[in-house]
Amino acid sequence: MRRIHVGNALSAFGLGFTVPYLYVYVAQVRGLGAMTAGFVLAVFAVAALIVLPFAGRAIVRRGPLPVLLAALVTAALGALSLGLAGGAGAVLLSAAALGAGQAVMQPALATMIVDCSTAETRSRAFAMQFFLQNLGLGVGGLIGGHLVDTTQVSSFTLLFAIEAAVFLLLVALMSTVRMPHSPRIADDPAEAGKAAGTGWRQLVGNRAMVQLCVLGFVLFFACYGQFESGLSAYGVEAAGIDTSTLGTALAANTLMIVVAQFAVLKFVERRRRSRMIAAVGLIWAVAWAAAAYAGLGHGSRAMATAAFISTYALFGLGEAMLSPTVAPLVADLAPEGMAGQYNSAFALVKQLALALGPAAGGPLAASLPGPYVVTFLLFSLLITVLALRLGRGLSTVQDHPWAARSRVVARGGVAAEPVGAEA
């Protein structure tokens, strides 16, 4: 588990190390123009949407570790070639390889966490994963920003070479992991073809998982999909926020996650997951109300700035509450041996929301700031409604595992085994 957490941190470090500077690198440093740079960012999303359905099946059939190693090598090759590419075609192909590799890392690592944790430790394991991912992204972006020089192509070549080296280091580290055996389709050759063909149909037939995917889409669309597009545009256009304040707001978001993650963990893991997700919807509704005051209110500039920074901080609090809640719920909804398929499906939904969120939010925020904040405030309230509705279809073990374990202990049994079996 320690190796897996290091893997999460390093993979996030690699992502934060280069992705924030891709647009500048392609458009200005390589001189390929804004349109090609936009295509590169789109290729990242498209590559992820293409490979994730196949990644889920591969994880189920072969296990998460081989899939992770293949993804790391692909990402390393993509990063290295991106640093050396000079033409538009080479840049787009390299970005596709890097985007596909990075997209597959997350469900593979999440499935490894599921296989190496128990019902009692899973929430804390995913909370640690989220904490280290944010730490890796922040540190990677900070170091990468000090290395780049827009007047020197070699500085970006060095940046991508370091990213490739990080991924290859992670290959060496993860190769030492010895995963506990968990059921795979390949374990039963007679069932392999049948299970491979019915995996997605089985998932779609799981009503609770479908509801969670819909809820997940709204979560990522209304929050993560607005961070670097719609909300930033709204802050600049409507609230008059300068770029340095945007940086402060993003720092406030990260700081809130770092401070609150383990402070709220015990509170969250002892309560119903559906109600915690519903509470996040209410917190984010307050965040959007603060954003509305920042851009549409008539207070002072200082009050508007404080309100805008508070918006990002409140988003961070909600994120800290979600990390020990949503990912373990995906794992508990998955039938035995199908965690990889379910993790990949949820990652696919997340990627789709992250692709559509900026496309929908950015233009709306820039042209119609009032309707923009009202729309996403309503989306946040929709999160609460969907979460409560999801809770009605979950078993006690899935929605409130702490209570289920307590009842097993009260009857004199061992908590871990009944919970794991029932989940």
Side-chain angles (χ1 to χ4, degrees), residues 6 17 25 74 103 311 321 334 338 421:
V6 171
F17 201 57
Y25 171 66
T74 302
T311 299
M321 295 172 64
M338 295 293 291

Side-chain angles (χ1 to χ4, degrees), residues 64-376:
L65 184 55
V67 175
L68 175 63
L69 296 178
L72 287 168
V73 172
T74 302
L77 292 174
L80 186 60
S81 59
L82 192 58
L84 299 173
V91 165
L92 290 172
L93 288 174
S94 301
L98 179 58
Q102 288 181 333
V104 174
M105 289 178 202
Q106 295 312 309
L109 284 164
T111 306
M112 291 174 73
I113 289 177
V114 173
D115 290 346
C116 292
S117 62
T118 65
E120 289 80 3
T121 62
R122 194 162 294 149
S123 291
R124 291 181 176 270
F126 277 107
M128 177 63 76
Q129 178 199 35
F130 185 71
F131 172 81
L132 291 174
Q133 282 178 342
N134 279 274
L135 185 63
L137 285 170
V139 173
L142 182 64
I143 296 176
H146 283 87
L147 289 179
V148 297
D149 181 354
T150 56
T151 64
Q152 298 289 331
V153 175
S154 59
S155 69
F156 283 87
T157 302
L158 175 63
L159 197 73
F160 287 107
I162 293 174
E163 181 182 30
V166 168
F167 289 140
L168 293 177
L169 173 64
L170 192 49
V171 169
L173 174 67
M174 300 310 289
S175 296
T176 66
V177 173
R178 295 294 176 263
M179 294 292 296
H181 179 77
S182 59
R184 306 282 172 215
I185 288 178
D187 292 342
D188 187 355
E191 295 294 322
K194 178 182 176 182
T198 61
W200 284 102
R201 287 197 296 271
Q202 184 185 34
L203 189 151
V204 172
N206 186 329
R207 183 177 178 182
M209 184 60 188
V210 172
Q211 288 180 313
L212 181 58
C213 285
V214 173
L215 174 59
F217 179 87
V218 178
L219 281 167
F220 293 113
F221 182 83
C223 176
Y224 299 91
Q226 303 308 312
F227 268 4
E228 297 175 3
S229 58
L231 194 54
S232 298
Y234 172 83
V236 172
E237 298 293 336
I241 300 298
D242 56 35
T243 53
S244 63
T245 303
L246 283 177
T248 302
L250 287 168
N253 174 265
T254 303
L255 180 63
M256 176 61 79
I257 292 171
V258 170
V259 171
Q261 183 64 84
F262 296 103
V264 303
L265 179 59
K266 184 174 290 188
F267 175 82
V268 169
E269 68 181 357
R270 296 192 180 196
R271 283 158 179 81
R272 292 185 178 274
R273 290 167 171 170
S274 59
R275 292 181 184 175
M276 288 297 97
I277 301 173
V280 169
L282 296 178
I283 291 171
W284 285 355
V286 174
W288 283 109
Y293 173 81
L296 307 176
H298 301 288
S300 65
R301 177 69 178 272
M303 291 295 292
T305 299
F308 189 76
I309 293 174
S310 297
T311 299
Y312 277 82
L314 287 169
F315 276 131
L317 177 60
E319 292 173 74
M321 295 172 64
L322 286 176
S323 61
T325 304
V326 175
L329 181 55
V330 174
D332 287 347
L333 288 174
E336 190 175 29
M338 295 293 291
Q341 187 99 49
Y342 277 58
N343 281 323
S344 294
F346 197 75
L348 181 65
V349 169
K350 175 182 177 180
Q351 192 64 45
L352 186 61
L354 294 180
L356 296 178
L364 181 62
S367 58
L368 298 169
Y372 170 75
V373 291
V374 171
T375 296
F376 284 94

